[in-house]
Amino acid sequence: MAEKIRVRFAPSPTGKVHIGNIRAAIFNWLYARHVGGEFLLRVEDTDLERSTPEAIQTLLECMAWLGLDYDGEVMYQTSQREHHLAVAEELLAKGYAYKENKGGQGECVIFRMPKEGVIEYDDLVKGHMKKKAKDTQDFVIVRSDGSPVFHLANVLDDITQGVTHIIRGDDHVENTFKHIQLFKAIGAPVPQYAHLPMIVNNAGKPYSKRDGSAFVGEFRELGYLPETLFNYLALLGWAPGDDREVMTRAEMVEAFDFAKCKASPARFDMKKLTWMNGEYIARQPREAYEAEFAKRLAAAGLPAEPLNGHLGELLDQIQPRTKTYADIPGNCRYFFEEAYPFDEKAVAKRLKPEGTAELLEEIATAIEALPDFSIEAMEACIRAMGEAKGTGMGPLVHPIRVAVSGKTEGPGLFEMLWLLGRERSLGRLRGVAAKLRAGEL
């Protein structure tokens, strides 16, 4: 029977979870689910100042939010300390390591790297990797204070957990040459490695907080869906091999294959992430979107049951146009309060031209005279007015939209007017006309 594939996510919690780290977790999870293996979680909590209970809880919450369920119990690296030190003693006894005084701080345990030959392995993403042994250096595995170093603890914990495949960022490539020798010295089989490409910004530099949101919690606060962030990060360094981008979890699991992973750096594109989030929001069940809509309105101090019972019709207009949940209050405020803000550029372009005040009043008079305040009747009215002026509808609809909403984009104009109602629409058109005359806009 073939050995069961086991992968692991082994973060060092610091209070915030970087997208680069969680991307590694996503690739591990996808591979484990694709092959029917196990996805293990190991918390490398040896940095006691930073790996606080709160930091660990933040990590676990991020994983739960993204649906990264793991198999078995969490392993905490500090629980393995005695084992790490016992193996270090064995390596000393067998001549694979030696003691040396470093900087007058006491004796460290140093692992002895080979000085001849080549260290090589086949990377599932980067291909055949090799390094001349003479180009490597011995390295510390136990500090002078008796604490195990990452290299030793990491390798021993992988052995303890039976990890068969190590999937991590390519910033660990140099570490892998060291770790391979540790596995061999300990007498354990060397796992297969897959090093994922770096996530970079538009300039090709490592993506960081300076480039924008970089932590999972920030994207959650900004109103991105967990499905979106999971989907988008999965595509940073991997593609299903066809034109699909918006994919279900099951589709990604089925399609995942290291042969389709890329070794070149993966560029983080916020615009594409936002587009994808809009796609996910548009496909959400109405109940889920409505609940979030009400929550965001309440947080902004806006009423949750607006527009005389026409909430459903409003959501028909707003949901397909929502890119992130955080956009909701700003995109809808003018429906709920009269003191809505005006976009300065929109005012300058659409309301400031000479004659706009008179035009808005003329439009208000025409709408007021309609026997039927319906979407169809308003559109026919404005279309006829544009034809009579020889301008078409464009020069009319843009000033109307900015006057009643303060914005240049949003729901269909006539749907917007219908949702606002005749009296509010007329009041806004005439009110803006008066402000233009008084120089208040």
Side-chain angles (χ1 to χ4, degrees), residues 291-324:
E292 189 66 34
F293 184 86
K295 175 182 167 185
R296 297 280 171 168
L297 289 188
L302 299 170
E305 272 295 336
L307 305 179
N308 302 316
H310 291 308
L311 178 60
E313 290 86 345
L314 174 62
L315 296 184
D316 287 341
Q317 294 294 317
I318 297 297
Q319 183 171 352
R321 294 172 170 83
T322 301
K323 299 303 179 187
T324 74

Side-chain angles (χ1 to χ4, degrees), residues 9-55:
F9 177 45
S12 302
T14 61
K16 291 185 176 180
V17 182
H18 193 277
I19 55 170
N21 290 336
I22 211 70
R23 193 271 306 257
I26 288 170
F27 276 58
N28 275 279
W29 187 92
L30 285 172
Y31 183 61
R33 300 297 175 248
H34 176 75
V35 298
E38 293 182 351
F39 172 65
L40 309 176
L41 175 61
R42 181 169 78 237
V43 176
E44 301 199 333
D45 57 343
T46 51
D47 185 342
L48 298 179
E49 287 187 12
R50 301 176 76 192
S51 295
T52 62
E54 293 78 15

Side-chain angles (χ1 to χ4, degrees), residues 117-120 129-136 174 177:
V118 174
I119 304 170
E120 55 190 331
M129 305 289 288
K130 64 181 180 179
K131 190 180 185 76
K132 292 180 180 178
K134 67 178 182 179
D135 293 333
T136 66
E174 287 302 311
F177 291 110

Side-chain angles (χ1 to χ4, degrees), residues 199-262:
I199 298 177
V200 298
N201 59 19
N202 288 330
K205 303 293 184 182
Y207 186 87
S208 70
K209 177 63 182 169
R210 292 188 300 274
D211 301 303
S213 299
F215 302 105
V216 174
E218 293 176 314
F219 289 99
R220 185 176 185 177
E221 290 170 10
L222 287 170
Y224 289 88
L225 299 180
E227 298 88 345
T228 304
L229 192 60
F230 187 107
N231 190 164
Y232 183 72
L233 292 177
L235 295 177
L236 290 183
W238 170 76
D242 49 36
D243 294 331
R244 287 180 295 169
E245 290 186 310
V246 180
M247 303 171 67
T248 66
R249 197 73 56 104
E251 288 171 339
M252 285 182 273
V253 167
E254 182 181 4
F256 191 81
D257 183 353
F258 279 115
K260 297 171 184 174
C261 288
K262 304 166 189 172

Side-chain angles (χ1 to χ4, degrees), residues 20-21 73 123 176 211 280 306 319 324 342 418:
N21 290 336
E73 297 296 319
D123 193 291
T176 296
D211 301 303
Y280 270 98
Q319 183 171 352
T324 74
F342 283 80
W418 179 80

